[in-house]
Amino acid sequence: MNMKKKDPESTEMTFFEHIDALRPHLVRGVMAIGVIGLVAFFCKSFIIDTVLFGPQSPDFPTNRMLTWVGAQWAHMAEWLNSVLGTSFDTDPETFRIANDRFSIINTSLSGQFNLHMKISLLTGLAMAMPYTLWEFWHFVRPALTPKEIQGTHLFVFWVSLCFFGGLLFGYFVMAPLSINFFANYQASEFITNMFDISDYLTTVIIVSIACAFMFELPLLIYFLTRMGLVSAGFLRKYRRHAFVILLVVAAIITPPDIFSLILVILPLYGLYELSIKLAERTERKHAAEEEQTTEMTETTE
C-alpha cells in the first residue's frame, strides 16, 4: 500500500500528530485528577463527615439562617393572626432542618466503600478542573493567533470562577433547601424517614453540580456571540421566553415550594441579564475591531 509522504515544508499536523501532541496534556490532566482523588480518599472524614453531611446539620450556616428566618416569621405570623384574624403557622421551627426526623442508612454490603471511591473520584474531577482546562488551553494555543490568545488568556479563570461559584451556590443554598424540604415533609406521622446514604449524597452532589454548570451560562452566551450564533438583540427579544425556560429549570432542580423557587430563579435570571450585557459588549468590541481593520485596509490601498 502506497502512503503519501508529508511535505517537509508543511506546518499542518496530521490527525495522529494531533493525538500525539494531546497525549501529554491528557496524561498530566488524568494524573492531577488521580492525585487529588487519592488525597480526597485519605481525607474521608473531612470530605464526607464535614462537607457532604454539612447541609443536614443544624449548625450549617444556611440552616442557622433558616432558623432565624423561622423565628422572624413566627413573630410576624403572630402579629398578623392577632391583627387580621388570619391563621398562619406560628411555629418558629417551620424552616429549621429536621435532622432529628430522619436517619441515614446503608443498605448495600459494599455500599460505603463504593460511595467512598465515587466521592474521591468526583472530588478529583471537580478540584482538578482548572488545571485540566489549563492543559487543554495550552494544547490549542499553538493554533491560535496572537489576537485570539490575548482574548482567551483568561478563559480558564472565568470558566473556573463560574463553575465554583455555581458549585458553592448549589452547596450552600440548594442542597440545604432540598434536604430541609424532604426531611420535613410527612405524608403520615406513622412513617419514619430512613434515607439511603446514596440517595442523600446523590442529592447533594447532583444539585451542586447542576448549579455549577448553570452558572456557565454567561460564558456560553459570550462564546456564542463571538461566533455570531446569538446577539444581544436576540436575547432581549426572547427575554420572556428565556424566563419561562429558566423557571421550568428552577422548578425541576428545586424542592416544590415557592420559597426555594424564588431563591433559585433570581440568580438564574440575573445570569441571563448578565449574558445580555456581555453580548452587547462583545458586539461593540467586534464592531470596533472590524472598523479598525477597514480603516487599515483603506490606508494601505
Side-chain angles (χ1 to χ4, degrees), residues 13 25 39 95 110 121 152 154-155 160 231 233 245 272 281 300:
M13 297 175 63
H25 297 283
V39 173
F95 300 104
S110 59
L121 177 61
T152 59
L154 291 177
F155 166 77
S160 301
S231 64
I245 294 174
Y272 185 80
R281 181 179 178 183
T300 303

Side-chain angles (χ1 to χ4, degrees), residues 285-298:
K285 186 176 180 180
H286 184 66
E289 291 174 352
E290 287 187 344
E291 183 179 353
Q292 183 180 5
T293 303
T294 303
E295 291 178 355
M296 293 177 60
T297 304
E298 292 176 352

Side-chain angles (χ1 to χ4, degrees), residues 38 185 266:
L38 185 63
Y185 186 83
L266 289 178

Side-chain angles (χ1 to χ4, degrees), residues 21-37 121-141 152 155-157 159-160 163-164 213:
L22 179 61
R23 185 182 294 113
H25 297 283
L26 287 177
V27 170
R28 287 193 290 268
V30 172
M31 287 180 62
I33 294 172
V35 170
I36 296 177
L121 177 61
L122 289 174
T123 302
L125 287 170
M127 301 306 296
M129 190 203 68
Y131 178 76
T132 305
L133 288 176
W134 184 80
E135 286 287 351
F136 175 75
W137 185 79
H138 270 264
F139 167 69
V140 301
R141 182 177 179 177
T152 59
F155 166 77
V156 175
F157 171 78
V159 171
S160 301
F163 180 84
F164 286 112
F213 282 108

